[in-house]
Amino acid sequence: MPSRSLPTRYTAVAQAFHWIIAALVVTQFVLAYLEHDLPIGAHKLALLARHKSFGMTVLMLAILRLVWRLKNPPPALPPGMTPLERNLARATHFAFYALLFAMPITGWMMSSAKNYSVSWFGLFTWPDLIGKNEAAFDLLHSTHEILSDVLFAVAILHIVAALKHHFWNKDDVLLRMLPLVRLNKAKSERRT
Ligand code: HEM
Ligand code: HEM
């Protein structure tokens, strides 16, 4: 019997949030990697400015996504998953949501602590979150760095899990997050 309350796939809005934020997160790592070893100069500052603008975009989208998610429950997990796998999936998604807030906020606070203003693509400037403080800057810099390693590890786990569902379990967990893919309805309904 299909569930009345839970959908069998992610909606177009959920998919759009997922893939736009995922692309922005990858862009953030690429920009950070490109600017990291550059000497201080115009090129480094331009890459950092872009990193900050895209990062603040992630924060805005994460707020919208969370509000939307609280009003629109996701599809149920397939019944074949063990309790450990279910808990791991929930923990991974929870960790992602937490990191999508923590990464931009620590970055924003870090810039404030150094007295560097955070602009959004040159269109406007975000207010400083804290005053100039070198000790806070060092702490926030290390926190941002450590959290980026955690985010990287969670993303690898998440991607491996999505591929395992698709190629090993042969269920439609990956397909239901992909746009323009038709699911086998009978198969999806059996799962709910
Ligand atoms: C989802 C959002 C974000 C992600 C995934 C992200 C990721 C990263 C990564 C991977 C690094 C390099 C860490 C390392 O040195 O190993 C970094 C550095 C940095 N990020 Fe972010 N970041 C995000 C948002 C932000 C925001 C919103 C700001 C500021 C408003 C910011 C400011 C910085 C700064 C100033 C650095 C240090 C650059 C340096 O020391 O060379 N980040 N970030
Ligand atoms: C770093 C980039 C990514 C982030 C931040 C991210 C984040 C998330 C989050 C937060 C969810 C939970 C959605 C919800 O229920 O509200 C989710 C679900 C999902 N993601 Fe990602 N994701 C990323 C990359 C990917 C990639 C590359 C794939 C494919 C290989 C993927 C496949 C999936 C699938 C299949 C689901 C649905 C899982 C389910 O039905 O329970 N994600 N992702």
Side-chain angles (χ1 to χ4, degrees), residues 12-76:
V13 176
Q15 291 173 355
F17 273 130
H18 179 271
W19 292 111
I20 292 169
I21 292 177
L24 286 172
V25 167
V26 173
T27 306
Q28 285 299 84
F29 276 90
V30 173
L31 288 172
Y33 174 79
L34 291 176
E35 72 72 33
H36 193 261
D37 290 330
L38 289 177
I40 299 278
H43 188 39
K44 185 180 179 91
L45 293 179
L47 290 175
L48 255 181
R50 207 144 299 161
H51 179 85
K52 294 179 185 184
S53 297
F54 281 126
M56 296 307 286
T57 310
V58 170
L59 179 61
M60 290 188 276
L61 289 175
I63 294 169
L64 293 177
R65 182 179 184 179
L66 188 62
V67 170
W68 193 90
R69 164 71 143 82
L70 293 173
K71 289 173 187 281
N72 298 274

Side-chain angles (χ1 to χ4, degrees), residues 42-133:
H43 188 39
K44 185 180 179 91
L45 293 179
L47 290 175
L48 255 181
R50 207 144 299 161
H51 179 85
K52 294 179 185 184
S53 297
F54 281 126
M56 296 307 286
T57 310
V58 170
L59 179 61
M60 290 188 276
L61 289 175
I63 294 169
L64 293 177
R65 182 179 184 179
L66 188 62
V67 170
W68 193 90
R69 164 71 143 82
L70 293 173
K71 289 173 187 281
N72 298 274
L77 292 168
M81 288 172 70
T82 64
L84 176 68
E85 286 172 332
R86 286 172 178 276
N87 288 336
L88 210 54
R90 288 194 194 105
T92 305
H93 295 171
F94 180 84
F96 265 143
Y97 279 108
L99 288 162
L100 292 178
F101 283 88
M103 286 303 304
I105 290 171
T106 49
W108 185 4
M109 288 176 77
M110 182 202 325
S111 296
S112 305
K114 198 76 175 172
N115 222 5
Y116 290 146
S117 57
V118 178
S119 150
W120 196 68
F121 298 107
L123 294 176
F124 65 87
T125 303
W126 297 84
D128 286 343
L129 288 182
I130 54 175
K132 189 167 167 39
N133 182 331

